[in-house]
Amino acid sequence: AQSVTQLGSHVSVSEGALVLLRCNYSSSVPPYLFWYVQYPNQGLQLLLKYTTGATLVKGINGFEAEFKKSETSFHLTKPSAHMSDAAEYFCAVSDLRAAGNKLTFGGGTRVLVKP
Amino acid sequence: KAGVTQTPRYLIKTRGQQVTLSCSPISGHRSVSWYQQTPGQGLQFLFEYFSETQRNKGNFPGRFSGRQFSNSRSEMNVSTLELGDSALYLCASSEGLAEYNEQFFGPGTRLTVL
C-alpha cells in the first residue's frame, strides 16, 4: 500500500524567509506526485505535480518541488514567504496500479507566516 | 468555466439519520471523486465515478455510497449517521481517468453529526 509522510504538522516562517515542506512517499513503483494547498474554508488547489520528465517542477505562486527517486522524496520550497502563503499544504501520490484518480494524501503541514 | 460546486455547504444531522450530498463537476469533466477530511484521519479517498460507474473505492463501510448521473453530477449518501462521520466532504472532478490528471476540488460540505 502507498503512504505519504509529511514531516512537521506545523511550520512557522518569517515573511521573506525560505519555506521548506517535506514529503516522503512509500510506493512499490514511482508514483505521480502532487502538492495541494488549502486555505481556510476552501477546497484544495493544485500547486504543482510531477509525472515524468524533469525532476524539478515549478508551480504556481513561486513554489517548486524536486522529485528525488533515491530518497523517495518530493519536498516543496519557496524562496521567500509571503503572508498570503499561510495555509495548509498537502502532498499526495496517485496510485499507478489503480486506473483512475485515487489520491493518497499526507497528513498536511500548516504554515504560519510571521510578519 | 464554473468550478466544482457542492451543495449544501453546511449540514447538521443527528445520529441515525441519513444524508445526501451533491457535487456538480466542471463542465466537460467526466470523473468525480469524493474525499472525507477529518482532523484525526486527514484526507481519505471515498470513491470515484466515471461515466456513471464506480471505478475505485476506498476503505469505508457500506453506509457510504454514491452514484453518478448521465450529466456527470454525483451524489454521495451516508446512512445511519454516526458521530464519527462529522467531517468536511470534498468532491473533485477531472477530465478523465488518467492518474496524471489534475483534480479540481470543490469547497466541500461540512457535515456535523450530533
Side-chain angles (χ1 to χ4, degrees):
Chain A
Q2 295 184 127
S3 66
V4 180
T5 302
Q6 291 183 239
L7 198 61
S9 59
H10 292 79
V11 167
S12 181
V13 298
S14 297
E15 193 174 17
L18 171 73
V19 179
L20 170 61
L21 305 181
R22 299 180 186 276
C23 171
N24 288 86
Y25 67 89
S26 170
S27 176
S28 58
V29 296
Y32 292 151
L33 295 151
F34 305 80
W35 274 100
Y36 283 87
V37 62
Q38 186 177 34
Y39 298 100
N41 298 316
Q42 293 186 29
L44 283 73
Q45 179 184 11
L46 182 68
L47 281 174
L48 49 80
K49 66 179 180 181
Y50 170 79
T51 54
T52 59
T55 56
L56 182 62
V57 182
K58 294 187 184 298
I60 62 172
N61 302 339
F63 285 93
E64 62 182 36
E66 186 171 12
F67 169 59
K68 292 187 177 181
K69 183 178 176 181
S70 60
E71 299 178 6
T72 60
S73 69
F74 191 56
H75 302 331
L76 181 72
T77 60
K78 182 174 180 177
S80 177
H82 190 272
M83 296 298 291
S84 61
D85 295 326
E88 190 159 19
Y89 294 79
F90 294 92
C91 181
V93 300
S94 181
D95 188 349
L96 298 187
R97 295 165 300 176
N101 294 303
K102 177 183 176 182
L103 292 174
T104 300
F105 286 89
T109 299
R110 191 173 297 276
V111 173
L112 172 66
V113 182
K114 298 177 292 184
Chain B
K1 280 184 180 178
V4 177
T5 57
Q6 294 187 244
T7 56
R9 290 292 311 276
Y10 301 91
L11 263 180
I12 299 176
K13 292 286 188 179
T14 57
R15 277 181 300 174
Q17 288 187 308
Q18 75 164 21
V19 66
T20 299
L21 312 181
S22 181
C23 171
S24 292
I26 291 172
S27 177
H29 285 192
R30 298 169 62 191
S31 168
V32 173
S33 299
W34 289 88
Y35 293 84
Q36 181 196 63
Q37 185 176 23
T38 61
Q41 300 298 317
L43 279 155
Q44 294 185 286
F45 173 80
L46 279 157
F47 28 64
E48 177 184 16
Y49 288 87
F50 182 84
S51 294
E52 302 179 63
T53 302
Q54 188 180 88
R55 300 290 178 157
N56 282 302
K57 189 177 189 306
N59 295 324
F60 279 83
R63 300 184 297 107
F64 292 82
S65 63
R67 61 177 175 169
Q68 187 180 35
F69 302 95
S70 58
N71 61 358
S72 295
R73 190 177 69 86
S74 177
E75 290 181 347
M76 67 162 283
N77 184 78
V78 187
S79 62
T80 319
L81 284 166
E82 301 177 359
L83 295 178
D85 297 333
S86 294
L88 181 67
Y89 290 88
L90 294 165
C91 165
S93 77
S94 181
E95 288 184 6
L97 279 177
E99 297 82 3
Y100 52 78
N101 282 336
E102 177 177 355
Q103 292 192 58
F104 295 83
F105 284 80
T109 294
R110 185 164 296 282
L111 172 64
T112 302
V113 182
L114 302 176

